[in-house]
Amino acid sequence: QVQLVQSGGGLVQTGGSLRLSCAVSGRTFSGYTMGWFRQAPGKEREFVAQTAGDGSTYYLDSVRGRFTVSRDNAQNTMYLQMNSLKPEDTALYYCAMSSTTTAVRYDYWGQGTQVTVSS
């Protein structure tokens, strides 16, 4: 059974930094695309960043240059380093894992962790 357990997050002032972690159990995640999503109150969930099995990364335009997604295949853990945080980054953040290596299908999800940026 694949499980994703998130940690990190919290309350920070504008311009501050936070790091989120997503630990995967039940499957070695090497080769699978992993992603971060967020959902703000009253808004739809949106893609934030992803790291593919080959280590390539992709970001939402509004976070590129401020957020960095990384993965430690030996630890089965993905990270999201968030710098220069803005109030508009406030949301519930989720990590996700693709269930296949040949396509991106986010079938596994973490429990979510709150990030709040005060102005």
Side-chain angles (χ1 to χ4, degrees), residues 10-67:
L11 173 64
V12 67
Q13 292 184 334
T14 297
S17 298
L18 287 172
R19 188 175 84 154
L20 306 182
S21 299
C22 176
V24 178
S25 63
R27 174 177 293 179
T28 299
F29 80 176
S30 175
Y32 293 88
T33 295
M34 300 285 298
W36 289 99
F37 294 77
R38 67 187 181 187
Q39 187 166 18
K43 296 186 177 181
E44 293 189 353
R45 185 176 62 194
E46 67 175 352
F47 166 85
V48 175
Q50 76 177 30
T51 169
D54 62 2
S56 61
T57 57
Y58 186 74
Y59 296 92
L60 177 69
D61 284 347
S62 63
V63 307
R64 187 175 294 112
R66 300 187 297 121
F67 291 11

